Amino acid sequence: MAYEYYPGTSLLHRLDPRTKIILFLYIIVLVMLIQDPVGMFTLLLIVISLYKIAGIPMSKVKSMLIALSPVIVLFVFLNIFISVPPNARIIGYLGSQPVAIESLIMGLTGGLRFTLFVFFARLLTMTTSISDLLVALTKLRMPVEAVVALGIAFSSVGVLINQLGTIKEAQMSRGSRVESRNPLVKAKALISVVVPGIYLTILRGLDIAKTVESRAFTYNPKGRTTRKTIKLTKTDYAVIIVAGMLTVIVAVVVYMFKILHYTYTFDYILSLLTA
Amino acid sequence: MSEQGDVVINIENLRYKYPGKEEYALDGINLKVRRGEIVLITGRSGAGKSTLCYTLNGLVPQFFGGTIEGKVSVLGYDTTKTPVGFMSSKVGILFSEPASQLISATVEDEVAFPLENLGLSVEEINRRVEEALRFVGMLEYRDKPPYTLSGGQQQAVALATVLAMKPEIYVLDEPTSALDPIGTLLILELFKKIAKTEKKTFIIVEHKLEEFSSIVDRVVVMDKGKIVAEGSPREVLGKKAEFLKKLGLESPQVSLFIQRLKEKLGINDDETPISIEEGVEWMKKHKKIIEEHLNPPSNRIDEANTPRNVGKKIIEVRDLVHIYPTTQTVALKGVSLDVYEGEMLAIIGHNGSGKTTLVKHFNGLLKPTKGYVKVYGRDTRTTPMYELIKLVGYVFQDPDKQIFSRRVYDELAFGPRNLGYTKEEVDRIVKDVAKTFGLDKYLNSTPFSLSRGDRQKVAIASILALNPKVLVVDEPTTGQDPTDRRIIMDLMKKLNKEGKTIVFITHDMNLVAEYASRVVVLHNGVKVMEGTPREIFSRVEELKKLKLKPPSITELFIRARDELSIDLPLPLTVDEALSYFK
């Protein structure tokens, strides 16, 4: 399920969605400033500990890490070709392409950064119900049509996944190799799943429009009641302020002392080993 | 049945064409409905019933476009001009597909959605949500996402959504078509409850005439965009039973039988029984004549259905247990059965009883958690799926969940190509199968442009292109009108006569009675009954406990046998019942 909500009563669940959006912004700031993979990894561990606080099973975390590790490897691999900074330390060659330590480290940071984003974003959706999220967007002055459309889109994911499952079974029953290990064969076979999927999604779009009209959406959109309410509490303010202060402190330290330049830890370990 | 007041729907000389279409979807409709009336609209697919419903809140013509002539006035408002949003606050439409009209994250949000749109206060919204969900019996599901519910539950939620809006007119467009017998019962009970307590105006579109005949005041029959019959249930379903049959509709079996029997025996009274109770009463009155003319023939329908060469065991299921890994649901709790070559086996049971789970083991889509399944001697746990699909072809319910090619030719070639046949072989197979289904002229057309019936044919044909020995057909009749159902089942029968074994899942007991040579009944993941249709349907009390019921004609004779104390045989169809009399 793409929008998974794990109901609970942890601190993260109780925070207003807007607070969580602000926390996300803090993370963005930190993630852009920190360059060293060790620093990034520390940040990732902090986010994972938030999962624990939110009461989300560690098995979920494990499966997410397993799913994302090929991505990290891909980042490292691709970065070999993307950037070789001047005065880089070359450790080998891939064909004619020099492989620099700096490229690998930068790639690692990039992969971890991506992983961190995914983890944090999913943490937010796992601890915020769709309706609360939508209310937050309304309060942030998003147009009501967009909010309703977003809500319907989220809710349709489950339906779509069911439909795709049925289509897959129907095609497998005609010999389509959608579960093949061979990526080329599988990709070709998936066309037979994607095409009906798109067709059905478009049809569903028409049905949704028909339903939305028949449930009086266009009666008076501006005068629409929002049933759920969200309120910023003392806890929210506390969290925003404390997290904000921490972010500023880390940002200042990193920026001023260039501690977390991307090869910082690597060089430090190297210096220890060669001392 | 209900008090009636002022005219709330007034349609005069209505004609309507969908955009880009040549034919009129509605071709001269005149209809007046009074407040408090309960009107049933019926007719074949494409007769214009849904289109007529959409004119009541303005979807036609405002949402769909097209050209409209004539007058449609609902509660005094001109629906061609009054905004749909406004009309929807007065006219609540329940659509036929439950899943397509549920759009929110939770059941609660779903019911609250229209109320938020209407700008009601938060307290009022919460009050109405709770009231409506309690009324339909879904309050405990308030936090669940709608797509996790069963079809009947989804439809109940959709009904709650409409109820909460408190419209003056309810329009229900085939509300039970996607439901199993239990779901249908549930919705029917709810309607009876609403009709009693609310005294609102109802327009109900349905094919299940028998079930609904007892709660409606008026029946309107449509065909090709026109109203062709109108009157009380007794007038239309009773007296005009023959007429309905000619239109391709299914009148209550009791009415049809007694109409025809009266003709055959020359009885000339004015009685038109439409329910089983009334039928039994009528038969009591004419007990003497019935006894005199009773002469049941010796060969009977299930013997006619039993293929001459029911042969060896080809599918063996032993102690089959299946647990779905993601939800840990135990769908099958130890089922054992055999399927014999050449038979036409029906698998029936409530939604969730394990029917689909069971048959998905036959082509390898699912593997047993415990126990085994052997198809032509091959254990499905160790045989790869592409071997099994050569033996067992699975026809899914919805052709639109399968069709994806640019040309019908490619759609039919899909299976054989996957199995690695040569180009020449594929070509031969495709042309053969297209001929059998009358699709040869469509080979170069795109399947999406065909009618639903033809798309269904393409889907079935593409399975037959694999030339399986066994055909599994999963609910081939959902959402189809009675005539289309017969067309598909007759096709299955033809294939059966040519030697294919057919296993079909259905909720339509009349079809089971007419076509099956043998029946297996599942309940809660367990096999509870097995036998010929006649054997199964005579066990009325047991079936009731399983929330299933035999065809009305069978039940009529069971009761008549008791109450008239005549030794009547049990018919499976109306034709068979008539053959008992000379």
Side-chain angles (χ1 to χ4, degrees):
Chain A
M1 248 84 348
Y3 198 104
E4 281 171 8
Y5 175 53
Y6 283 78
T9 51
S10 73
L11 173 67
L12 281 153
H13 285 90
R14 284 179 279 131
L15 288 177
D16 188 296
R18 291 165 289 184
T19 310
K20 288 182 251 196
I21 292 177
I22 292 177
L23 289 178
F24 192 59
L25 293 172
Y26 291 159
I27 293 272
I28 290 179
V29 166
L30 285 178
V31 148
M32 286 310 163
L33 283 176
I34 294 175
Q35 301 293 336
D36 183 295
V38 172
M40 199 64 73
F41 189 67
T42 314
L43 210 53
L44 183 60
L45 285 178
I46 294 175
V47 172
I48 290 180
S49 63
L50 290 179
Y51 270 72
K52 195 98 210 281
I53 295 176
I56 293 170
M58 280 297 118
S59 56
K60 183 86 210 156
V61 172
K62 214 170 96 175
S63 64
M64 280 170 69
L65 282 172
I66 293 176
L68 284 165
S69 36
V71 176
I72 299 176
V73 170
L74 194 68
F75 263 84
V76 172
F77 181 71
L78 288 178
N79 213 54
I80 294 174
F81 303 92
I82 290 178
S83 64
V84 182
N87 307 321
R89 291 162 274 188
I90 311 291
I91 52 164
Y93 283 84
L94 217 65
S96 57
Q97 172 71 32
V99 176
I101 288 275
E102 283 79 357
S103 306
L104 294 175
I105 293 179
M106 253 205 270
L108 187 58
T109 306
L112 286 171
R113 181 181 288 138
F114 180 79
T115 307
L116 209 134
F117 270 129
V118 171
F119 264 82
F120 197 79
R122 284 200 87 175
L123 180 63
L124 291 191
T125 58
M126 283 182 200
T127 55
T128 316
S129 69
I130 296 178
S131 10
D132 283 346
L133 183 66
L134 295 176
V135 176
L137 292 172
T138 316
K139 289 233 159 143
L140 293 171
R141 305 253 182 278
M142 199 171 181
V144 66
E145 287 88 348
V147 174
V148 169
L150 202 59
I152 295 176
F154 277 131
S155 315
S156 300
V157 173
V159 176
L160 188 66
I161 290 180
N162 275 351
Q163 270 183 350
L164 287 176
T166 309
I167 296 172
K168 193 174 107 163
E169 285 185 339
Q171 308 302 37
M172 279 170 73
S173 302
R174 297 194 290 169
S176 180
R177 299 273 205 276
V178 283
E179 293 198 332
S180 160
R181 302 242 152 192
N182 181 330
L184 286 167
V185 171
K186 189 168 184 162
K188 192 159 167 235
L190 281 176
I191 296 176
S192 68
V193 175
V194 168
V195 172
I198 294 176
Y199 180 61
L200 288 172
T201 305
I202 295 176
L203 285 183
R204 179 167 163 80
L206 286 171
D207 282 334
I208 291 175
K210 203 170 82 183
T211 303
V212 164
E213 277 275 26
S214 305
R215 302 282 179 261
F217 180 68
T218 52
Y219 179 78
N220 183 12
K222 299 290 182 283
R224 210 172 175 273
T225 316
T226 312
R227 184 173 65 110
K228 294 248 177 99
T229 48
I230 51 174
K231 235 168 56 158
L232 289 168
T233 62
K234 289 208 188 77
T235 320
D236 288 290
Y237 289 118
V239 166
I240 293 176
I241 291 173
V242 168
M245 285 184 350
L246 286 173
T247 307
V248 168
I249 292 172
V250 172
V252 162
V253 165
V254 168
Y255 182 73
M256 285 187 45
F257 296 94
K258 301 205 192 301
I259 289 181
L260 296 173
H261 173 70
Y262 66 97
T263 52
Y264 183 83
T265 312
F266 178 76
D267 291 332
Y268 181 70
I269 294 175
L270 203 62
S271 65
L272 287 180
L273 290 175
T274 55
Chain B
M1 252 188 233
S2 47
E3 305 142 29
Q4 292 169 22
D6 50 315
V7 172
V8 289
I9 299 177
N10 189 7
I11 301 179
E12 285 175 19
N13 299 319
L14 174 63
R15 303 182 86 206
Y16 171 74
K17 260 200 275 197
Y18 280 101
K21 296 276 187 185
E22 292 286 315
E23 329 78 42
Y24 278 94
L26 297 174
D27 196 3
I29 301 281
N30 285 289
L31 185 69
K32 273 194 179 52
V33 179
R34 293 184 178 282
R35 190 182 298 274
E37 256 197 282
I38 304 177
V39 179
L40 179 72
I41 302 185
T42 190
R44 286 209 55 196
S45 294
K49 314 184 291 296
S50 295
T51 312
L52 184 59
C53 290
Y54 298 159
T55 61
L56 297 177
N57 79 341
L59 280 176
V60 159
Q62 297 179 50
F63 179 79
F64 286 100
T67 42
I68 193 165
E69 300 158 31
K71 177 172 132 176
V72 182
S73 168
V74 175
L75 295 165
Y77 299 100
D78 179 352
T79 63
T80 63
K81 299 201 179 59
T82 316
V84 178
F86 177 77
M87 287 311 306
S88 297
S89 63
K90 310 243 177 257
V91 178
I93 298 192
L94 184 69
F95 299 104
S96 58
E97 272 289 324
S100 64
Q101 61 191 318
L102 298 177
I103 56 178
S104 305
T106 65
V107 164
E108 207 174 26
D109 290 335
E110 192 72 49
V111 181
F113 180 70
L115 306 178
E116 292 176 324
N117 292 336
L118 293 173
L120 301 176
S121 72
V122 177
E123 295 80 35
E124 181 66 15
I125 293 179
N126 286 330
R127 202 183 56 76
R128 286 203 199 181
V129 166
E130 190 153 327
E131 199 186 341
L133 284 177
R134 184 169 290 128
F135 189 90
V136 302
M138 294 294 295
L139 192 57
E140 58 188 89
Y141 291 89
R142 62 196 305 173
D143 292 319
K144 298 259 185 302
Y147 71 84
T148 57
L149 305 173
S150 74
Q153 292 173 322
Q154 286 179 341
Q155 200 65 323
V157 171
L159 183 61
T161 310
V162 176
L163 277 175
M165 291 171 80
K166 295 198 191 291
E168 292 181 50
I169 300 178
Y170 286 87
V171 179
L172 311 168
D173 188 2
E174 292 197 48
T176 68
S177 76
L179 305 182
D180 67 354
I182 294 186
T184 304
L185 267 175
L186 171 70
I187 296 296
L188 202 58
E189 290 305 312
L190 289 173
F191 288 163
K192 288 190 184 157
K193 214 167 142 191
I194 302 174
K196 258 202 220 109
T197 54
E198 301 244 331
K199 300 196 195 324
K200 296 284 177 82
T201 316
F202 283 82
I203 309 288
I204 307 177
V205 173
E206 258 297 340
H207 290 302
K208 296 185 177 133
L209 304 178
E210 239 178 272
E211 282 91 327
F212 281 81
S213 58
S214 56
I215 64 170
V216 302
D217 300 317
R218 185 161 39 133
V219 177
V220 170
V221 184
M222 287 182 70
D223 193 53
K224 297 200 181 58
K226 298 184 173 16
I227 295 180
V228 294
E230 199 176 337
S232 73
R234 202 169 294 283
E235 278 166 28
V236 178
L237 303 175
K239 294 207 175 81
K240 297 211 165 124
E242 217 37 77
F243 173 68
L244 291 180
K245 191 101 182 135
K246 283 213 193 69
L247 279 182
L249 301 176
E250 209 150 277
S251 33
Q253 287 184 321
V254 173
S255 332
L256 193 62
F257 167 65
I258 294 193
Q259 285 272 286
R260 289 188 176 168
L261 189 65
K262 286 206 284 188
E263 260 180 58
K264 195 168 182 180
L265 303 183
I267 301 175
N268 222 336
D269 66 13
D270 228 2
E271 314 239 336
T272 44
I274 48 178
S275 69
I276 297 177
E277 290 75 24
E278 292 180 5
V280 175
E281 285 308 310
W282 184 90
M283 286 176 82
K284 269 197 208 157
K285 268 197 210 152
H286 301 272
K287 181 172 169 176
K288 272 201 94 204
I289 306 186
I290 288 176
E291 269 179 317
E292 278 169 24
H293 291 261
L294 188 62
N295 183 22
S298 46
N299 68 312
R300 303 184 317 172
I301 196 171
D302 47 8
E303 282 147 21
N305 267 351
T306 305
R308 248 146 290 160
N309 309 320
V310 168
K312 55 185 207 274
K313 203 175 356 179
I314 52 171
I315 299 182
E316 208 180 305
V317 177
R318 288 289 173 275
D319 303 316
L320 179 61
V321 173
H322 189 86
I323 303 180
Y324 282 100
T326 45
T327 54
Q328 292 298 308
T329 324
V330 187
L332 293 174
K333 300 178 183 156
V335 173
S336 300
L337 69 92
D338 298 317
V339 180
Y340 298 93
E341 186 162 53
E343 68 173 345
M344 198 136 158
L345 177 69
I347 302 188
I348 63 179
H350 63 85
N351 237 28
S353 56
K355 313 184 292 295
T356 304
T357 309
L358 172 63
V359 301
K360 280 187 180 170
H361 282 85
F362 294 171
N363 76 341
L365 267 177
L366 291 178
K367 303 267 186 250
T369 311
K370 282 199 206 136
Y372 68 83
V373 176
K374 287 206 185 136
V375 176
Y376 280 90
R378 316 188 58 173
D379 191 325
T380 63
R381 292 171 298 187
T382 51
T383 316
M385 199 172 155
Y386 67 79
E387 288 293 331
L388 293 170
I389 60 169
K390 291 184 197 164
L391 300 165
V392 179
Y394 196 124
V395 179
F396 280 75
Q397 210 172 7
D398 188 349
D400 293 331
K401 291 208 171 86
Q402 232 183 273
I403 294 181
F404 74 103
S405 314
R406 249 180 309 145
R407 299 179 303 162
V408 170
Y409 184 98
D410 297 310
E411 197 65 43
L412 300 179
F414 185 59
R417 280 180 184 156
N418 282 333
L419 289 182
Y421 287 114
T422 67
K423 229 164 142 212
E424 295 77 29
E425 286 173 334
V426 171
D427 193 66
R428 189 182 50 79
I429 292 173
V430 169
K431 298 224 166 89
D432 251 348
V433 106
K435 195 137 172 272
T436 314
F437 282 74
L439 293 168
D440 11 11
K441 53 186 183 292
Y442 292 130
L443 280 176
N444 274 314
S445 321
T446 161
F448 293 105
S449 67
L450 301 176
S451 70
R452 180 170 168 125
D454 284 332
R455 292 206 302 279
Q456 187 95 338
K457 281 198 196 152
V458 170
I460 301 177
S462 72
I463 303 287
L464 279 165
L466 295 162
N467 200 19
K469 298 209 194 8
V470 181
L471 211 58
V472 173
V473 196
D474 194 344
E475 296 200 46
T477 56
T478 307
Q480 309 254 0
D481 69 14
T483 310
D484 287 332
R485 289 177 195 216
R486 292 254 135 62
I487 292 178
I488 294 180
M489 292 312 295
D490 284 338
L491 183 63
M492 295 297 133
K493 194 161 172 185
K494 178 163 160 258
L495 293 168
N496 182 243
K497 283 209 164 64
E498 290 169 9
K500 297 221 189 289
T501 311
I502 312 272
V503 177
F504 67 101
I505 295 180
T506 183
H507 289 304
D508 188 332
M509 297 301 131
N510 293 2
L511 286 178
V512 174
E514 242 183 271
Y515 292 93
S517 62
R518 201 162 63 98
V519 181
V520 163
V521 185
L522 294 185
H523 186 78
N524 282 337
V526 176
K527 181 179 77 176
V528 293
M529 281 203 235
E530 194 176 348
T532 65
R534 202 177 304 276
E535 286 165 6
I536 301 288
F537 288 137
S538 55
R539 293 152 75 171
V540 182
E541 284 313 310
E542 281 178 73
L543 288 175
K544 270 210 174 72
K545 288 208 192 87
L546 301 171
K547 302 235 172 99
L548 298 170
K549 59 183 204 77
S552 306
I553 190 81
T554 317
E555 200 174 340
L556 173 71
F557 272 64
I558 290 176
R559 292 221 218 156
R561 195 166 51 175
D562 277 340
E563 301 201 24
L564 273 70
S565 313
I566 310 180
D567 187 18
L568 289 168
L570 295 185
L572 291 174
T573 64
V574 170
D575 287 331
E576 191 185 344
L578 287 167
S579 72
Y580 294 166
F581 303 91
K582 57 172 166 48

